[in-house]
Amino acid sequence: MRVVSLVPSLTEAVARTVPGALIGATDWCSHPAGLDVVRVGGTKNPKTDRILSLGPDLVVANEEENRAGDLDVLRTAGVEVLVTEVRTVPQALTELERVLTACGASARPRWLDEAAAAWADPPASERRATAVVPIWRRPWMVLGRDTFAGDVLARLGVDHLYAAHADRYPKVPVDELRAARPDLVVLPDEPYRFTADDGPEAFPGLPCPLVDGRYLTWYGPSLAEAPRVLAAALRAAHR
């Protein structure tokens, strides 16, 4: 099986579970460290000609991260494309198993069992908190409805305030975000790289936990550690 992955978290999952199957990945596929495969561009602008030149048996993609037009080009050229949809933690676990089976995994990997166990009983929070979760700046954008990261946070006791918004990633002026009076402002380091010097200063007086985006937004081997790591960061900020 020759596989090209257009999703960083799926790249990590396939590389760890089916060694040797992966022949191509995006420029943003940073895990596992030292991954030695052909790079095929970004998630939003893959080089379809380069992908086709690799002769893949399968391309794995995601309906949110990748553009339908690029996937259609690959299908038209005769390449099988598996497209995932991940909006919740249970859906992530199911889709991961589907992808790994399609990529030739002979058995369900141990890390996937560990992830399922970790999320079956995530760390309990002492009290629920409200939050806004920026994912971009200039303009400010936040988590809205029906997102995987929103479901992750809800399972850890954090309800983000734009979960019922009509858009999945609405643009919201920072004054409005402050006026929403959240308990927390959760700042991940991807897709926008919020840091201690870039983000918290926009929300004076509000706790602003900085979290690793891989644990908040990736669905792969990091799922096994995500509940513990995220819960610790959130708990430290919301005392």
Side-chain angles (χ1 to χ4, degrees):
M1 177 66 70
R2 295 169 57 81
V3 179
V4 171
S5 172
L6 300 182
V7 185
S9 50
L10 296 180
T11 295
E12 183 179 16
V14 174
R16 279 194 52 176
T17 308
V18 195
L22 203 64
I23 58 171
T26 76
D27 299 342
W28 299 105
C29 293
S30 57
H31 289 72
L35 180 66
D36 184 17
V37 297
V38 175
R39 300 296 173 159
V40 297
T43 57
K44 301 296 186 187
N45 56 345
K47 295 179 172 61
T48 53
D49 54 346
R50 184 175 298 175
I51 294 171
L52 294 174
S53 73
L54 294 174
D57 300 307
L58 178 68
V59 172
V60 293
N62 175 262
E63 49 89 28
E64 178 178 58
E65 293 198 48
N66 308 119
R67 301 183 304 183
D70 295 320
L71 305 183
D72 288 342
V73 168
L74 299 174
R75 290 191 185 97
T76 299
V79 175
E80 182 180 355
V81 180
L82 187 161
V83 182
T84 58
E85 179 182 306
V86 177
R87 307 288 177 88
T88 68
V89 172
Q91 193 175 25
L93 298 172
T94 299
E95 289 286 70
L96 282 164
E97 186 163 18
R98 182 167 75 100
V99 167
L100 296 174
T101 297
C103 291
S106 58
R108 181 181 167 100
R110 181 176 178 179
W111 64 259
L112 189 53
D113 288 333
E114 292 172 347
W119 283 103
D121 186 24
S125 58
E126 295 180 4
R127 56 194 173 99
R128 296 195 74 83
T130 59
V132 294
V133 189
I135 58 152
W136 202 256
R137 185 171 188 168
R138 304 180 192 94
W140 287 92
M141 297 175 67
V142 298
L143 292 186
R145 64 169 179 85
D146 197 22
T147 65
F148 172 72
D151 186 63
V152 164
L153 290 171
R155 292 171 188 274
L156 297 174
V158 175
D159 301 310
H160 72 93
L161 294 177
Y162 291 87
H165 197 281
D167 298 328
R168 296 187 65 214
Y169 301 101
K171 298 177 182 178
V172 184
V174 69
D175 288 347
E176 182 178 325
L177 297 179
R178 289 191 290 254
R181 300 176 62 85
D183 296 317
L184 302 169
V185 179
V186 180
L187 298 173
D189 62 4
E190 60 176 75
Y192 185 91
R193 188 173 181 80
F194 288 104
T195 67
D197 299 321
D198 185 358
E201 81 289 345
F203 302 95
L206 289 174
C208 294
L210 297 164
V211 301
D212 187 331
R214 180 166 168 263
Y215 292 115
L216 181 62
T217 64
W218 287 37
Y219 37 90
S222 57
L223 278 174
E225 298 178 29
R228 174 183 57 81
V229 174
L230 290 173
L234 297 168
R235 187 167 53 248
H238 188 225
R239 294 185 182 279

